[in-house]
Amino acid sequence: MPSPRPFDTGTGLGPASGSGPLTGPHRGSGPDSVSGSGPGPGPGSSSAPERRRAMELLARVRYGRLATSMRALPLLAVARHQVVEGRVLLRMHRGLGYHESCDGSVIAYGADNFDSAPAPAPGNPDGLWSVHFTGPAELTDPAPGERALFGAEPSRVNGEPFDPVYIRLEPHVVRMHTLGFGASP
C-alpha cells in the first residue's frame, strides 16, 4: 500500500494543491483521470474504462521509463513493469541506487509501443500509443507470484550482478495518447 502521508510535492498532484500544473482545464485532476485519450466526464479526462485500457496497453510491453528526481536533478531510468491489481509494479537494479529517490515520492512512469508496433497503416485499431502514470511510489517486497510475473532476470547490469528491487506505483493521474494513421478526407 502507498504511504498514507500526503503526496503533494508542489507539483499540483495532491488534493490540497488547488490548481497546479496538472489540474488546468485540459489536464487530468483525479485518481481516475486519463488525459489525452478522448472525451470523458470532464475536459481532458476519461472514464474508468479508458483508465483500464491504459493499463491493458501497458501490460502489452515489458519495459518503460521511470522519471523522478535525484539530488534535485531530473532522472530517467529504464524499468521492467507488471500491472498488478490496478497498480504498476516496477523492477529495477538495486546497484544503481535509483530506487532510493522513488520511495515515498511522486514519480512518473511511461511506456509505449513505438519500437514494437507494426508500421502505421489505415485501419490499424491500436496504431501507436503511449501511456503515462503519475503517483506516489514505495519500495515493496512483492509476493512470490508477483515476482514470477516478471520472468527471467538479467544476469548483469553495467557489469555487476543484477540485484532486483521492487517499487509499487499507485497511479493517481493516468494519460494515454494514440497516433492514428487513417486516410485523410
Side-chain angles (χ1 to χ4, degrees):
M1 292 289 301
S3 170
R5 63 189 149 148
F7 60 95
D8 182 15
T9 59
T11 61
L13 293 174
S17 64
S19 62
L22 295 177
T23 60
H26 298 288
R27 311 286 180 153
S29 60
D32 291 323
S33 296
V34 179
S35 296
S37 61
S45 65
S46 294
S47 64
E50 288 168 327
R51 179 183 173 93
R52 282 190 298 277
R53 176 71 174 142
M55 289 288 192
E56 290 169 5
L57 291 173
L58 180 66
R60 289 184 179 186
V61 296
R62 298 173 8 152
Y63 289 89
R65 292 156 212 87
L66 176 140
T68 188
S69 63
M70 186 174 206
R71 293 185 282 283
L73 295 173
L75 171 72
L76 190 62
V78 173
R80 176 82 165 90
H81 64 262
Q82 289 292 328
V83 176
V84 179
E85 297 178 3
R87 295 182 182 94
V88 180
L89 183 60
L90 305 173
R91 181 180 75 187
M92 302 178 72
H93 175 55
R94 183 182 313 272
L96 300 174
Y98 299 155
H99 63 286
E100 295 169 2
S101 296
C102 299
D103 193 28
S105 297
V106 172
I107 67 168
Y109 187 73
D112 58 59
N113 71 339
F114 296 164
D115 287 339
S116 61
N124 179 352
D126 292 325
L128 297 177
W129 54 263
S130 67
V131 290
H132 308 271
F133 304 87
T134 305
E138 70 173 357
L139 296 177
T140 188
D141 185 17
E146 292 174 335
R147 285 177 188 251
L149 293 172
F150 286 95
E153 297 177 348
S155 59
R156 303 185 81 65
V157 174
N158 292 347
E160 57 182 65
F162 181 73
D163 181 13
V165 64
Y166 297 88
I167 300 165
R168 192 172 310 274
L169 167 61
E170 177 75 38
H172 283 234
V173 177
V174 177
R175 292 201 171 88
M176 178 173 62
H177 303 283
T178 59
L179 300 174
F181 292 90
S184 18

